[in-house]
Amino acid sequence: MEPILLLCLSLLAHGAEAACRDARFVGTVLPLRAQQLVVAPTRSPAANRLRFRHDVRLTVPVAVGAPPQNVTMVLDTGSELSWLLCNGSRVPSASAPPRAPAAFNGSASSTYAAAHCSSPECQWRGRDLPVPPFCAGPPSNSCRVSLSYADASSADGVLAADTFLLGGAPPVRALFGCITSYSSSATANGNAAATNSSEAAMGLLGMNRGSLSFVTQTGTLRFAYCIAPGDGPGLLVLGGDGAALSAPQLNYTPLIEISQPLPYFDRVAYSVQLEGIRVGAALLPIPKSVLAPDHTGAGQTMVDSGTQFTFLLADAYAPLKGEFLNQTTALLAPLGEPDFVFQGAFDACFRASEARVAAASQLLPEVGLVLRGAEVAVGGEKLLYRVPGERRGEGGTEAVWCLTFGNSDMAGMSAYVIGHHHQQNVWVEYDLQNNRVGFAAARCDLATQRLGARA
């Protein structure tokens, strides 16, 4: 049986430290946190469009190397190769450079080893990474990696290996990208606040099903998390049996497998089958063909901890938007600005005071993502997001709120993505041994207390 590794999750909006303790488990306990990145909205000159950018991410502290160096890494089930900012890395910044996180120093680790051109690792030509490792040639003969992401961020560096320690668990050796050049939409746009934190992440922990992911390299067959809203505590569990940890009764949906390579289908993502979408009791009249991958692979549905909100293809987003607006006419006033698009993909927006939204949130119709054998239900405060820095009305008494479902087509994506905002207060289990993902409604703060972990 796999060793159980129990981790605590805490949303630290104000940077407070959180530590977790559990006397009943032999495993190791450490914090996983949902980190809020405060960034100012940036507008496109042509219209009132705010650029697509993730501003919340789940992070976990890890120790790497010997002697161990403490790093903070984004937990991303939508990515494969893990990476760390390394000494000498270049990160674009504004004219007043933000305080960047300390970089990992490979030369200070006795267990660090960079892959060379002739190494088997550099000859790896698997199907998973869009750009496989490649040789830089003389004089360095280093094995290079180049990574890019949907939000226009990118990372370049060398392929390397070192030991990873999560709390007091035995160290595991894994390949990762030692990044020397990194850029993102936040740093490229000069949003210094996005990285102006001592808790800023200095890497990414790739957790998809690819050959080079941390999950695959370490032989992890099961992991789960429960994300609490606000600043409440939650849990991340690596390995073990969820039932043995008093996890709620899960409804499982099978992972979708397609053996034939298709240009727009990510075969190493946690892909599930979306069967329908409901708003309140109304099941939207969306053809099944719209919800299934087409002959190119476009239209798959992915469960992704690395994406904040949920994205739907246009043919499903349009009826959802229309039905939600229809059912909330008496509760919320539409923004009434046709050119306003938050993060380039969210155009179902409203204007209301915080008190008005608080009162209306309990009356909003629940949105259900109906999966094969399970459902992800989104209700209450999770349905609306207040756009930072946007005020309307005389004296700025009203804020701007947008529905937390975005249009994939507007964001330049060809898939449905269930983001971690809609996974709050949901126990999510990734069962790789049985090729399925389980969901259950949960009070994540209470689950933490039940398992003996205290912030």
Side-chain angles (χ1 to χ4, degrees):
M1 176 180 290
E2 294 177 271
I4 295 175
L5 180 57
L6 179 68
L7 305 93
C8 277
L9 181 150
S10 175
L11 178 58
L12 303 180
H14 303 289
E17 283 300 324
C20 300
R21 302 259 194 278
D22 189 339
R24 292 184 293 164
F25 292 99
V26 179
T28 305
V29 179
L30 63 155
L32 170 73
R33 59 187 61 176
Q35 185 180 57
Q36 178 78 42
L37 302 180
V38 181
V39 291
T42 55
R43 300 177 188 274
S44 165
N48 194 8
R49 294 173 179 265
L50 281 71
R51 298 182 184 180
F52 173 73
R53 178 174 57 251
H54 304 314
D55 62 355
V56 173
R57 53 193 179 178
L58 301 178
T59 61
V60 60
V62 181
V64 182
Q69 300 177 43
N70 295 324
V71 300
T72 301
M73 304 181 75
V74 174
L75 184 79
D76 190 356
T77 62
S79 296
E80 180 173 355
L81 183 65
S82 302
W83 57 264
L84 289 169
L85 292 177
C86 289
N87 273 1
S89 59
R90 302 191 311 275
V91 180
S93 63
S95 56
R99 185 170 69 250
F104 173 72
N105 186 357
S107 62
S109 170
S110 62
T111 50
Y112 173 87
H116 295 283
C117 286
S118 59
S119 67
E121 294 84 359
C122 200
Q123 304 304 315
W124 182 85
R125 291 293 182 268
R127 67 187 187 183
D128 307 335
L129 290 176
V131 180
F134 59 94
C135 181
S140 67
N141 287 324
S142 61
C143 185
R144 306 289 300 182
V145 290
S146 182
L147 308 168
S148 59
Y149 302 94
D151 63 352
S153 60
S154 61
D156 297 276
V158 299
L159 185 67
D162 211 331
T163 54
F164 286 69
L165 302 92
L166 283 80
V172 292
R173 190 167 182 82
L175 292 166
F176 69 100
C178 193
I179 297 305
T180 55
S181 179
Y182 175 76
S183 65
S184 74
S185 54
T187 54
N189 291 329
N191 294 312
T195 52
N196 191 15
S197 168
S198 60
E199 300 296 333
M202 57 183 291
L204 179 145
L205 197 63
M207 298 287 284
N208 73 7
R209 297 189 289 165
S211 302
L212 291 181
S213 77
F214 190 78
V215 168
T216 303
Q217 291 193 64
T218 58
T220 300
L221 298 179
R222 187 195 309 265
F223 66 96
Y225 50 68
C226 195
I227 305 168
D231 57 359
L235 294 170
L236 170 69
V237 181
L238 294 180
D241 185 351
L245 296 176
S246 301
Q249 183 65 43
L250 295 163
N251 292 316
Y252 289 98
T253 186
L255 291 170
I256 302 302
E257 305 279 356
I258 293 182
S259 58
Q260 179 184 1
L262 297 175
Y264 294 107
F265 190 89
D266 185 348
R267 291 191 288 172
V268 294
Y270 295 101
S271 182
V272 297
Q273 181 56 59
L274 184 61
E275 298 275 295
I277 301 174
R278 64 173 178 84
V279 180
L283 186 65
L284 300 179
I286 304 174
K288 295 290 186 182
S289 59
V290 170
L291 303 176
D294 63 17
H295 66 284
T296 70
Q300 75 181 116
T301 299
M302 299 181 287
V303 184
D304 185 7
S305 71
T307 297
Q308 182 181 2
F309 298 120
T310 293
F311 293 84
L312 308 174
L313 290 178
D315 287 344
Y317 174 76
L320 168 65
K321 174 184 174 181
E323 183 64 26
F324 188 84
L325 291 173
N326 181 59
Q327 292 193 29
T328 58
T329 301
L331 298 173
L332 297 169
L335 179 61
E337 300 174 17
D339 289 333
F340 186 92
V341 183
F342 174 55
Q343 290 191 354
F346 301 84
D347 63 354
C349 300
F350 309 87
R351 53 187 296 171
S353 66
E354 284 82 354
R356 175 68 175 173
V357 169
S361 62
Q362 302 306 312
L363 303 174
L364 295 175
E366 184 178 72
V367 175
L369 302 174
V370 183
L371 306 173
R372 185 174 297 167
E375 181 181 87
V376 177
V378 182
E381 296 178 352
K382 289 192 289 185
L383 287 165
L384 298 176
Y385 182 79
R386 185 172 64 83
V387 179
E390 295 289 334
R391 308 292 299 188
R392 299 292 188 273
E394 187 175 350
T397 56
E398 295 177 317
V400 174
W401 308 77
C402 292
L403 181 65
T404 51
F405 290 84
N407 188 327
S408 293
D409 298 65
M410 294 173 66
M413 298 189 292
S414 59
Y416 298 89
V417 181
I418 303 175
H420 68 72
H421 181 79
H422 290 165
Q423 299 174 46
Q424 295 177 35
N425 273 340
V426 178
W427 188 285
V428 184
E429 180 185 272
Y430 298 79
D431 183 354
L432 283 75
Q433 188 169 18
N434 297 300
N435 291 316
R436 60 185 187 174
V437 179
F439 300 92
R443 278 284 304 275
C444 295
D445 54 346
L446 297 181
T448 303
Q449 297 174 18
R450 185 168 62 246
L451 295 176
R454 295 179 176 84

